[in-house]
Amino acid sequence: MKKITLLSVCLLALSMSSCKQDGMLPRDSRVSKLSQFDAQADEIIDQMTLEEKVAMLHGKHMFTSEGVPRLGIADMIYADGPFAIREEMEPHSWNSLHLTTDSSTFFPTGSALAATWSPELAYQYGKGMAVEARLRGKDMILGPAINIQRIPTGGRTYEYFSEDPFLSARLSVGYTLGVQDNGVAVCLKHYALNNQENNRGTVNVIASPRAMREIYLPPFEAAVVEGDAYGVMAAYNKVNGYWCSENDFLQNQVLRRDWGFKGMVISDWGGTHSTVDAINNGLNVEMPNQQYLGQALLDSVKAGAVSEETLNLRVKEILRVRFAIEPIPAEKANVELTAKPEQAQIAYDVAAKSIVLLKNESDLLPINFNKVRKIAVIGDNANRKMASGGVGAGAKAHREITPMEGLQNVIGDRAEIVFAQGYTIPVRNRWSRQPAQQDNSAQLREEAVKVAKDADLVLFIGGNNREIETEGSDRANIMLQGGQDELVKALAEANPNLVTVLVAAAPVDLNVVEAYSPTIVVSWFNGSQGGNALADVLTGKISPSGKLPFTYPVKLEDSPAYATGSYPQTDAPIAEDIFVALVGEKSQDELMNGSSNRTTALYAEDLLVGYRWFDTKNVRPMYPFGHGLSYTTFEYSDLKATKEKYSEKENIEVSFILKNTGKVDADEVVQLYVHRLDATVEWPYKELKAFDRVTVKAGESVEVNLSIPVEQLKYWSEEEYDWQLEHGNIELLLGSSSADIRLSTKVAI
Ligand code: BGC
């Protein structure tokens, strides 16, 4: 029996620069590496003019802020992330420079990485991003994007990790360490509570202090406290009445005072709204313009409205980061192709471990080539590339293997592949005017049915695309578009051997697909190697091992923000997106003065985000958080805690035996949830508190150890303004998903 011991935990941690228990540090134990640059920064500040200081606090170019040229301090150069190093643009516009060297690796997007449930892979991902950023001369990656996926329709669900703070936090730390161990700074975005795209530029989010501390802030807290993140991007929205870019509570109190952040905060693009409040409340750099932190700031300092002491502090916070990151001379940047085979391998590894098998009822997968000689591949997403699209973050991908290319590469002459389009999705970008397209869905469906009838297996490759899931607007609903439901029905009637592959990075309504398709796979926006990874999973070269990082609701209205009526907001119309307005060279004032679009998002579900709601309110999901099947089966046994009672400073240590009872080697993601038995404080029914991805050979068993620091079981007391432990009995629920609990044990804390 193979033993997964503390040693393997430490080996991982060593690769992440220090050995720590289960990847978590106590909240108060951090000293930022940035502090070592204080004296050096002060020395520079002493020699700087007021003008030079102010010059550092706003955008110089679209993705650059100024250093101190006279004193040899280089500019800060930002790279739009979070899943690829964005192409080079003209300094003052969004026009591409059309270089031949700046094609980069397209890494699987956020929810795909999260579906691996692997901080180790998040570390590799961050490392890969950093390596490519260095080749391009970048100092800071604008990522990871780590907001909680509050609504299934959220336009950036594909970029964000998870609906769960603990899973998001572990991945955020992995990504952050991976980037910063390799010489580039991260910029955690979007701080904070940017959980919707509709009216993101104006919405005022009202959330309780406890929901903020326990649900929305932990990924940021962990990346700062454990990952020593050097940069943070203030979100566009307001939180509890104040713009994030001038939010004293978020920036001065929580980020800097409570978490000990020593780095720099930059605004989201066009997200600055004031001079005095922004600078006093913690903003370092207004990006990409200088409407508030340029001349207006200089004037404010001269007039005494902003103290020079505050100005010096903001400069010092930037200089610390500047000293921590070695600048790359311009002549050394961009001299060779950004994308490298090592990064393609990381992109493949992430994609391969992210793919989720939702169900496999007739064992159609893995494809049995003894029976299957002809495969009908149907659907727009079979050939669609997902590196760019919609508004905002995209990759100029060096390569992107589509599902069809992957299938052709991997299947070779083992079977004949025939293709039918099946459906198309009308271009829907809310902010661009497209001519109406002709509806040819009936004809496409008919052609597809013909192809399906004549095949041994049908692979329907549908889902969403980057126009549907996009920054700047949320989806109006989660229905599959372009007549995909009708198509699935027709395909199932033509051929029952139907596998549905959802290339979608957020939940979709599965009522029809579930009823008609015996096998369903989720394949995300899966990066440069996504097609190869998908083909390897479908053909059984590797067993699927991804687990859902969010809940698939039966219907949208079941999900908490919809059920409580707090989303969509009806108090204001949906305004043009702030970023679209910025690119269109409209001033922020033009957007802001249209005050009719000021909307309030009251987070009425409070702590009950995602599965916390479904569990606590007894609402059945379509597929639960943490769900994902394999080509093998796993047996869980012998769950033991080391003690019956744990004190505040201890870790709850549990062990159990995981046996692979099937015929293929595979990974399983084991999940440990905590349920409070005799609580007086209100808690969600259960919460994820530990997990591990474990590789087990067919027929073998391993002992798995999991650890939960009791510290992590505290709640945020609004009365005490502090973390408090509620003593009592808790149940530890061990399972293969949030709804598939295999073993449990009780301990006291
Ligand atoms: C996005 C950021 C992005 C920035 C620069 C904004 O619209 O919200 O995530 O980094 O644009 O492209």
Side-chain angles (χ1 to χ4, degrees):
M1 185 189 298
K2 194 179 134 214
K3 249 188 148 195
I4 309 264
T5 59
L6 191 66
L7 179 66
S8 57
V9 176
C10 285
L11 282 178
L12 156 68
L14 272 178
S15 74
M16 293 184 175
S17 80
S18 63
C19 183
K20 37 195 163 51
Q21 190 90 41
D22 208 28
M24 276 176 278
L25 284 178
R27 290 197 159 88
D28 51 5
S29 70
R30 161 181 183 271
V31 184
S32 172
K33 274 192 212 148
L34 292 177
S35 300
Q36 71 195 35
F37 302 110
D38 279 5
Q40 219 176 324
D42 287 339
E43 223 173 89
I44 295 289
I45 292 169
D46 280 349
Q47 303 169 58
M48 287 172 76
T49 65
L50 199 54
E51 285 72 13
E52 283 171 329
K53 292 174 188 172
V54 170
M56 290 183 76
L57 306 185
H58 53 255
K60 175 180 179 183
H61 299 151
M62 205 56 94
F63 286 94
T64 308
S65 61
E66 181 131 295
V68 198
R70 185 176 60 87
L71 301 175
I73 306 294
D75 295 350
M76 285 293 301
I77 305 181
Y78 308 97
D80 222 352
F83 50 82
I85 305 304
R86 192 174 184 161
E87 74 191 295
E88 297 298 326
M89 282 170 274
E90 289 171 0
H92 295 287
S93 84
W94 297 91
N95 298 335
S96 168
L97 281 178
H98 300 294
L99 302 185
T100 51
T101 48
D102 65 351
S103 306
S104 58
T105 300
F106 164 30
F107 292 91
T109 66
S111 53
L113 174 60
T116 68
W117 291 55
S118 171
E120 295 89 332
L121 282 173
Y123 183 92
Q124 292 304 323
Y125 187 119
K127 178 180 173 189
M129 286 285 293
V131 167
E132 297 201 354
R134 295 295 286 170
L135 286 172
R136 295 271 294 285
K138 312 292 183 191
D139 300 306
M140 180 178 275
I141 291 171
L142 304 181
I146 58 177
N147 295 88
I148 292 295
Q149 295 159 340
R150 175 174 181 254
I151 50 172
T153 45
R156 295 182 97 164
T157 299
Y158 80 94
E159 269 186 273
Y160 296 153
F161 289 149
S162 168
E163 68 184 23
D164 179 76
F166 181 73
L167 175 58
S168 294
R170 296 300 95 219
L171 298 166
S172 300
V173 173
Y175 187 126
T176 297
L177 292 171
V179 170
Q180 294 193 171
D181 283 355
N182 291 282
V184 180
V186 294
C187 185
L188 310 174
K189 68 188 191 184
H190 307 87
Y191 185 68
L193 293 98
N194 174 199
N195 310 108
Q196 66 182 63
E197 290 298 288
N198 284 353
N199 288 337
R200 64 175 167 161
T202 47
V203 64
N204 180 21
V205 172
I206 309 285
S208 74
R210 187 171 170 205
M212 283 202 248
R213 297 280 184 164
E214 293 182 31
I215 304 290
Y216 295 102
L217 299 182
F220 293 93
E221 179 183 11
V224 168
V225 175
E226 298 172 41
D228 199 10
Y230 293 167
V232 166
M233 184 188 290
Y236 281 131
N237 49 285
K238 285 184 178 179
V239 169
N240 291 344
Y242 299 95
W243 296 113
C244 288
S245 55
E246 57 189 60
N247 196 304
D248 176 57
F249 171 73
L250 285 176
Q251 294 193 37
N252 285 341
Q253 298 181 40
V254 176
L255 179 65
R256 289 206 160 89
R257 187 193 61 203
D258 296 352
W259 301 344
F261 178 70
K262 293 276 182 284
M264 53 190 278
V265 178
I266 69 175
S267 75
D268 202 338
W269 268 229
T272 309
H273 299 274
S274 66
T275 300
V276 177
D277 285 348
I279 206 80
N280 284 341
N281 293 338
L283 185 69
N284 297 85
V285 186
E286 173 189 5
M287 285 304 290
N289 301 323
Q290 48 175 301
Q291 189 176 347
Y292 297 103
L293 299 191
Q295 188 62 42
L297 177 59
L298 196 60
D299 295 344
S300 304
V301 178
K302 285 183 180 159
V306 171
S307 73
E308 200 159 349
E309 197 188 341
T310 302
L311 194 71
N312 288 348
L313 182 59
R314 297 286 95 94
V315 169
K316 183 172 180 170
E317 287 154 352
I318 301 171
L319 283 173
R320 285 184 186 130
V321 179
R322 187 59 285 177
F323 288 130
I325 302 296
E326 196 188 323
I328 294 172
E331 64 279 7
K332 292 208 173 138
N334 236 327
V335 289
E336 53 181 297
L337 183 69
T338 313
K340 290 277 180 284
E342 292 77 10
Q343 275 75 256
Q345 182 62 45
I346 298 170
Y348 172 83
D349 292 344
V350 172
K353 294 194 172 181
S354 75
I355 293 167
V356 179
L357 181 62
L358 289 183
K359 69 169 183 176
N360 195 15
E361 269 170 8
S362 325
D363 283 334
L364 293 178
L365 294 180
I367 299 170
N368 178 348
F369 290 102
N370 295 325
K371 291 195 206 149
V372 174
R373 306 297 308 160
K374 189 169 188 178
I375 301 174
V377 174
I378 290 165
D380 187 66
N381 280 345
N383 293 308
R384 185 165 289 271
K385 297 194 173 183
M386 300 293 181
S388 60
V391 172
K396 178 174 162 187
H398 171 55
R399 292 177 78 190
E400 181 179 350
I401 309 285
T402 62
M404 182 58 112
E405 285 165 340
L407 288 165
Q408 283 162 342
N409 291 344
V410 169
I411 292 177
D413 57 11
R414 283 188 284 175
E416 184 193 348
I417 298 176
V418 283
F419 173 74
Q421 175 72 25
Y423 73 97
T424 51
I425 293 180
V427 176
R428 176 218 78 129
N429 194 335
R430 181 178 277 153
W431 315 116
S432 62
R433 315 233 178 295
Q434 298 291 332
Q437 286 158 318
Q438 259 198 339
D439 182 9
N440 59 350
S441 48
Q443 189 201 334
L444 291 177
R445 196 157 56 233
E446 226 170 85
E447 286 164 12
V449 163
K450 223 181 268 166
V451 171
K453 266 194 187 143
D454 191 35
D456 303 315
L457 181 76
V458 181
L459 290 180
F460 169 58
I461 306 189
N464 291 334
N465 60 34
R466 293 287 307 282
E467 302 299 323
I468 296 173
E469 294 188 38
T470 170
E471 182 181 334
S473 59
D474 300 321
R475 284 180 293 162
N477 56 57
I478 55 170
M479 301 311 291
L480 286 166
Q481 296 191 19
Q484 292 182 62
D485 280 347
E486 290 83 342
L487 177 62
V488 165
K489 273 191 212 166
L491 292 176
E493 277 154 23
N495 189 334
N497 296 332
L498 172 64
V499 174
T500 296
V501 176
L502 297 164
V503 179
V508 293
D509 184 304
L510 285 181
N511 285 290
V512 172
V513 176
E514 176 68 18
Y516 287 87
S517 191
T519 296
I520 310 176
V521 174
V522 179
S523 181
W524 315 108
F525 297 158
N526 234 342
S528 286
Q529 291 291 320
N532 284 338
L534 176 65
D536 282 344
V537 167
L538 296 179
T539 57
K541 184 172 171 206
I542 40 176
S543 181
S545 60
K547 301 270 185 171
L548 291 178
F550 47 64
T551 308
Y552 263 74
V554 171
K555 54 183 194 307
L556 182 56
E557 296 71 29
D558 289 344
S559 54
Y562 283 82
T564 54
S566 65
Y567 187 93
Q569 298 92 30
T570 49
D571 57 346
I574 301 168
E576 182 177 48
D577 179 57
I578 182 165
F579 182 76
V580 174
L582 180 82
V583 174
E585 289 180 5
K586 287 194 189 154
S587 76
Q588 269 153 270
D589 293 344
E590 267 178 87
L591 184 64
M592 298 304 146
N593 289 340
S595 56
S596 62
N597 59 25
R598 299 215 171 170
T599 178
T600 302
L602 176 68
Y603 284 18
E605 75 285 6
D606 203 36
L607 299 177
L608 301 184
V609 176
Y611 67 91
R612 286 166 168 77
W613 171 269
F614 287 82
D615 273 3
T616 309
K617 301 284 179 186
N618 255 313
V619 181
R620 183 181 70 84
M622 180 62 82
Y623 284 103
F625 173 80
H627 173 75
L629 304 175
S630 164
Y631 294 151
T632 189
T633 43
F634 290 99
E635 194 180 275
Y636 292 61
S637 64
D638 291 324
L639 174 63
K640 287 188 211 100
T642 47
K643 302 208 298 182
E644 280 171 12
K645 191 166 181 172
Y646 294 87
S647 67
E648 201 168 328
K649 295 280 169 230
E650 288 180 310
N651 292 345
I652 301 171
E653 309 281 358
V654 304
S655 65
F656 67 98
I657 305 299
L658 182 69
K659 183 169 187 197
N660 180 339
T661 47
K663 294 198 174 60
V664 293
D665 302 350
D667 283 9
E668 166 74 325
V669 174
V670 299
Q671 303 161 37
L672 190 61
Y673 296 84
V674 168
H675 166 62
R676 324 265 163 172
L677 287 169
D678 40 21
T680 53
V681 175
E682 268 188 56
W683 293 97
Y685 182 80
K686 67 175 179 299
E687 296 185 289
L688 180 71
K689 290 293 171 186
F691 62 85
D692 199 3
R693 169 177 276 275
V694 187
T695 304
V696 198
K697 290 213 154 68
E700 291 193 359
S701 298
V702 296
E703 183 186 309
V704 183
N705 296 296
L706 295 170
S707 168
I708 304 176
V710 174
E711 164 88 14
Q712 293 290 326
L713 298 182
K714 291 180 171 176
Y715 68 97
W716 180 260
S717 161
E718 295 178 6
E719 292 76 42
E720 308 286 331
Y721 192 87
D722 203 358
W723 295 98
Q724 297 286 318
L725 187 65
E726 182 177 33
H727 296 276
N729 296 308
I730 62 170
E731 198 173 14
L732 301 168
L733 306 170
L734 176 69
S736 176
S737 87
S738 65
D740 182 8
I741 300 300
R742 305 289 182 85
L743 298 168
S744 69
T745 187
K746 286 174 195 157
V747 297
I749 51 173

